[in-house]
Amino acid sequence: MTQEVIRRHYLEAMGITAWAAKYQLPNALPTEACEWEDSPPDTTPPRARLQALLDDAPAPKRASPEARKPDATVASPSAVRALLKGTLGTDIQGSAHQSSAHQSSGDQLKPASDVPHDVEPAVATPAKPLKFSLSCLCIEGRWLVMQAGEMTTQQQQLLVNLLQAAGVKQAASTKVTHFTWPQLVNAFAVEDPLDEAREGLAAFIAGRVSRQGWQLEKILWWGELGAEQAPLDGIINVVEAHSQTLSLPVWQGPSLMSLLEGTSSKRELWPALKMLGESWARAARSADDH
């Protein structure tokens, strides 16, 4: 077999059709002479070709009676096929019918609760982040003043007057910071909205402490922290006058808005405000001694 025929066989095996010119083109080299196969390629399916090989396979030589064991059986491919179609095929079909009969009878005796049903898993609804806002300012790096929502100019001036009357001094340049949650406008779904809101608030305060060098001792929260103030009541998480989220003691007073509406609320606040001033003075003396 020449190299050209070998090359053609390789091309056909790779699925590449080999083309040969019937006529010699002008100024072209003559086609190399070789043994071309005129018969078309075999289109017989692989399964049929394998069956033909089994039919044409010669039977193996039988061994001598002395060397043959009683349990050994030597058969040709045709004998194997006959065995599969005959004895084994019948046994397999019989076994299949028996197993199907047992299975059907078992299904009839099986209680309805044990019969499997196609149960679609429940699709969990993605949770949305909690939304809240608060204002805060720090007094001398020690006490953190906080209230829900945005603190107006009138509320801020009232706060300064109340703290000065109680003897709590603060720098004139103290600015109010407004914090909102979530930080992203199009917030993505969260796993635990309450836990992530607590972590967000704690991270915000921790960042301010790190940048400003605060040494926080107490939180002054102006306003109620009951169920009607949800979700801030769960986010601040005050237990026995102590914020579990910020790990600081909490002093609670009335809302600044209610104090602006009348003088009776200011008179009721004065005893608690006086005690707050005394606590500030004791903490200042303790800091000076150290």
Side-chain angles (χ1 to χ4, degrees), residues 24-105:
Q24 183 176 354
L25 300 177
N27 300 324
L29 293 177
T31 303
E32 183 180 355
C34 62
E35 299 177 358
W36 298 106
E37 296 181 358
D38 297 333
S39 59
D42 191 6
T43 58
T44 307
R47 182 176 181 181
R49 291 199 300 269
L50 179 60
Q51 187 72 22
L53 291 175
L54 289 175
D55 293 336
D56 297 338
K61 297 181 179 180
R62 296 182 179 272
S64 60
E66 293 79 5
R68 186 187 306 169
K69 295 182 180 180
D71 297 336
T73 303
V74 180
S76 63
S78 58
V80 173
R81 288 195 302 275
L83 183 63
L84 292 175
K85 294 180 180 179
T87 308
L88 293 183
T90 306
D91 295 341
I92 292 174
Q93 293 176 359
S95 301
H97 287 300
Q98 293 177 2
S99 62
S100 61
H102 286 299
Q103 184 176 1
S104 60
S105 62

Side-chain angles (χ1 to χ4, degrees), residues 110-169:
K110 188 183 297 183
S113 59
D114 295 337
V115 179
H117 298 280
D118 295 335
V119 180
E120 297 182 358
V123 180
T125 304
K128 295 183 179 181
L130 299 178
K131 296 181 179 181
F132 70 92
S133 65
L134 53 83
S135 300
C136 64
L137 61 91
C138 189
I139 304 173
E140 298 296 327
R142 295 166 50 192
W143 286 7
L144 185 63
V145 178
M146 304 177 70
Q147 79 158 24
E150 190 171 356
M151 188 180 295
T152 63
T153 304
Q154 292 181 344
Q155 293 174 354
Q156 186 175 357
Q157 185 61 46
L158 174 62
L159 176 64
V160 171
N161 297 338
L162 293 174
L163 294 178
Q164 286 182 351
V168 179
K169 298 180 180 179

